[in-house]
Amino acid sequence: MLVKTYGAAVQGIHATTITIEVNVSQGIKFFLVGLPDVAVKESHERIVSALQFIGLKLPKYQTVINMAPADIRKEGASYDLPLAIGILAAAEKMKCNELDRYMIMGELSLDGTLQPIKGALPIAIKAREEGFKGFILPKQNAREAAVVNDLKVYGAENLKEVIAFLNGEFVIEPTEVDTRNEFFNNLNHFDFDFSDVKGQESVKRAFEVAAAGGHNIILVGPPGAGKSMLAKRVPTILPPLTLHEALETTKIHSVAGLLDKGTSLMTQRPFRSPHHTISDVALCGGGGFPQPGEISLAHNGVLFLDELPEFKRTVLEVMRQPLEDRKITISRSKSTVEFPASFMLVASMNPCPCGYYNHPDRACVCGPGVVQKYLSRISGPLLDRIDLHVEIVPVPFEKLSELAPSEPSSAIRERVIKARMIQHERFKDSPGVFCNAQMTSRQMRQYAVLDEAASSLLKSAMLKMNLSARAYDRILKVSRTIADLDNSERILPSHIGEAINYRNLDREGWAG
């Protein structure tokens, strides 16, 4: 008897429907075809053990299973459940009347318990698109998949439950999630706040400008000055995620298998902080079966690179293209996968190997030329792509001992949201452009026009600091953001002056 069950293969952050055709006939052999990887082939042993544990046996017939389309590589153990159901239905050990109405995915333990899978959300989206009535999957992934409306999601704990449910002998209540209610209830829950930060008013201002325009920023300062502490609080002043952004971000983390158990939807912007020993593949994504890297996991959020010069140069250079295009394309001989990578880069570094160059109280012990050599570990093209270069100095004791709290993140966030609303209105007819950092050259000529005084100030800074054309563009974009924070239509000389002040690493003689 020929029976079909349905699963899905995840490629990038999208899913493709896989038809699992099972044919049982006279004989004793077992064939699994359709480009399965080793983990899929090993499903035979898991299925045999799971069936024995619940009192069933693998049918003693010749079984041929085809996973179509046969030219797409199938990987992972999440096909165990649809394969087991297909084998039982083809051998007439269970009913098969409604198998074509369900998408089925799940990994089997040897005792028949269902283990969680990766990519439940994109698979659920595909199931709805294909018109399936429901999606049967492990209970741990049920809330994640239930975010998709107009699709019944059935979370099962083991193989026996699934068989009984499809036979009509057991009822699994569909998992329901009020997506909008859950989304809006968890938007403003943060573990950190800028009110915890004493002093550093100029650095907070720089972060406000960066958040308002979506600009990249690097902090340069000695150990213990507060670089990491400030960076961790950046998500608290960014505008809240939209529902579309939350779904997109959740899809990426679902594919990577990084969603917490019971999580239905990510409601806060991601903050990723990889260690400086990371490889270029782990940062940008890839592998034999391409998976999202840190830059994609930081999509719609913040990528924090602490101790930037300590990262391998090849790792840093792979970010140059994603920083411009806000996506990463991973090409392999048999496939090409594209992951989104629209993130705000926050980096930090010591000014020199000993950490005390330009320190107000402690002397730097680095030799001549060492500071410049340390800074040169970061290539010029990468530094050009970072809009704001900010020096940070230690906070004096008088500030640290103050009992009065600093300005809270909510107040800063309110100003950032107002500036973003101005940008949203400005770019409403420009698809793919949402903030000043994403402006094209044509849009800059339209929205970042300078008067004579501002133009003269920028010209003298360009000549004195020997800035590149890209740095010129960055200054214009940052000054446009500062003007938006001031609710000013025109870019004034004061806005240009502040933007130039955020190019500290371009300043002549900074590194000696």
Side-chain angles (χ1 to χ4, degrees):
M1 182 177 177
L2 178 64
V3 168
K4 294 181 181 180
T5 58
Y6 298 90
V10 178
Q11 296 176 303
I13 59 171
H14 304 288
T16 302
T17 301
I18 300 296
T19 303
I20 299 170
E21 303 168 320
V22 184
N23 187 36
V24 171
S25 58
Q26 286 191 344
I28 57 171
K29 293 187 177 181
F30 182 90
F31 300 97
L32 179 57
V33 297
L35 213 60
D37 74 348
V38 175
V40 180
K41 291 177 181 177
E42 289 173 345
S43 64
H44 178 268
E45 282 68 32
R46 290 190 293 272
I47 292 170
V48 169
S49 176
L51 291 176
Q52 286 177 344
F53 196 86
I54 62 174
L56 298 173
K57 289 185 178 181
L58 195 72
K60 294 182 179 180
Y61 300 105
Q62 177 167 290
T63 305
V64 180
I65 303 175
N66 178 45
M67 306 179 77
D71 61 338
I72 294 178
R73 184 81 172 172
K74 290 81 181 179
E75 61 168 335
S78 55
Y79 296 101
D80 290 356
L81 183 58
L83 287 171
I85 296 297
I87 292 170
L88 291 173
E92 300 183 359
K93 299 287 186 180
M94 61 173 287
K95 294 179 182 178
C96 57
N97 303 341
E98 295 192 339
L99 288 182
D100 60 343
R101 302 178 67 185
Y102 295 100
M103 182 81 81
I104 305 173
M105 293 294 282
E107 177 185 341
L108 286 174
S109 295
L110 296 183
D111 62 355
T113 305
L114 292 179
Q115 298 296 328
I117 62 172
K118 292 182 180 180
L121 180 55
I123 294 172
I125 292 170
K126 187 64 178 179
R128 183 182 64 181
E129 288 177 1
E130 296 287 334
F132 286 95
K133 172 189 173 183
F135 181 19
I136 301 172
L137 77 169
K139 197 166 187 176
Q140 298 96 316
N141 298 111
R143 284 180 57 78
E144 175 188 339
V147 167
V148 180
N149 54 17
D150 301 326
L151 178 73
K152 291 185 177 179
V153 175
Y154 300 96
E157 292 187 356
N158 52 57
L159 176 60
K160 193 172 184 177
E161 276 189 9
V162 177
I163 295 170
F165 171 72
L166 292 171
N167 283 335
E169 302 165 354
F170 181 75
V171 176
I172 300 176
E173 291 296 329
T175 302
E176 295 183 359
V177 172
D178 188 338
T179 307
R180 292 185 178 275
N181 184 52
E182 185 150 326
F183 173 68
F184 289 112
N185 282 345
N186 295 294
L187 271 181
N188 299 306
H189 292 176
F190 298 106
D191 296 327
F192 303 105
D193 197 279
F194 267 101
S195 61
D196 305 327
V197 181
K198 304 293 184 183
Q200 306 292 12
E201 302 304 327
S202 61
V203 184
K204 290 180 189 174
R205 168 64 177 178
F207 272 123
E208 181 180 336
V209 173
H215 302 290
N216 303 319
I217 181 171
I218 183 170
L219 302 177
V220 186
K227 302 187 291 296
S228 300
M229 183 181 71
L230 286 158
K232 288 177 182 177
R233 285 158 175 74
V234 174
T236 67
I237 63 171
L238 288 171
L241 285 168
T242 64
L243 190 55
H244 173 74
E245 287 176 332
L247 281 167
E248 190 176 36
T249 305
T250 306
K251 277 173 70 177
I252 296 170
H253 286 252
S254 172
V255 169
L258 295 178
L259 286 181
D260 295 331
K261 288 182 181 179
T263 299
S264 59
L265 192 68
M266 291 184 66
T267 56
Q268 295 180 8
R269 294 188 180 273
F271 179 86
R272 304 296 298 182
S273 180
H275 192 258
H276 63 258
T277 55
I278 191 171
S279 68
D280 49 353
V281 171
L283 187 71
C284 70
F289 305 105
Q291 290 286 299
E294 289 291 339
I295 61 174
S296 295
L297 294 171
H299 180 63
N300 291 324
V302 176
L303 177 68
F304 176 48
L305 301 183
D306 198 10
E307 303 300 341
L308 190 65
E310 303 302 328
F311 284 78
K312 289 184 290 187
R313 195 177 183 97
T314 53
V315 171
L316 296 179
E317 294 308 299
V318 299
M319 288 199 305
R320 284 162 56 174
Q321 180 253 342
L323 281 171
E324 290 290 325
D325 299 340
R326 299 187 180 271
K327 60 183 179 182
I328 180 76
T329 303
I330 300 166
S331 298
R332 296 292 180 265
S333 58
K334 294 182 180 179
S335 65
T336 299
V337 176
E338 185 176 281
F339 291 110
S342 180
F343 58 90
M344 176 180 167
L345 174 63
V346 178
S348 73
M349 61 176 285
N350 292 331
C352 64
C354 79
Y356 296 105
Y357 179 74
N358 273 352
H359 194 281
D361 302 317
R362 298 186 62 170
C364 173
V365 296
C366 298
V370 172
V371 177
Q372 184 62 53
K373 185 178 180 181
Y374 188 71
L375 182 61
S376 66
R377 292 186 188 181
I378 308 166
S379 70
L382 181 61
L383 270 181
D384 266 352
R385 286 170 169 82
I386 300 176
D387 306 346
L388 289 84
H389 310 160
V390 181
E391 281 190 84
I392 178 171
V393 295
V395 181
F397 175 78
E398 292 75 18
K399 284 283 185 183
L400 286 174
S401 58
E402 283 183 358
L403 296 179
S406 304
E407 186 179 31
S409 293
S410 56
I412 303 173
R413 193 186 205 190
E414 194 174 318
R415 296 194 295 269
V416 168
I417 291 172
K418 286 181 180 178
R420 285 288 184 107
M421 288 175 65
I422 293 171
Q423 293 164 53
H424 177 74
E425 184 65 25
R426 177 181 297 140
F427 303 123
K428 64 181 179 181
D429 297 324
S430 304
V433 180
F434 306 103
C435 56
N436 289 333
Q438 299 172 343
M439 277 196 294
T440 63
S441 297
R442 180 178 295 179
Q443 289 166 336
M444 285 171 58
R445 290 195 296 269
Q446 183 178 355
Y447 301 119
V449 180
L450 304 181
D451 59 22
E452 189 174 339
S455 181
S456 176
L457 179 61
L458 180 55
K459 180 182 177 181
S460 62
M462 289 286 294
L463 293 174
K464 184 177 180 181
M465 299 167 69
N466 195 26
L467 300 177
S468 67
R470 184 178 281 113
Y472 170 82
D473 287 348
R474 302 288 172 182
I475 290 172
L476 283 181
K477 290 177 181 179
V478 172
S479 61
R480 178 67 270 172
T481 299
I482 297 168
D484 291 340
L485 284 167
D486 283 351
N487 198 21
S488 172
E489 281 285 335
R490 295 170 53 241
I491 297 177
L492 304 175
S494 59
H495 302 146
I496 285 287
E498 185 176 352
I500 293 169
N501 197 45
Y502 292 135
R503 302 296 299 186
N504 280 332
L505 297 184
D506 292 327
R507 200 170 66 232
E508 186 178 355
W510 182 88

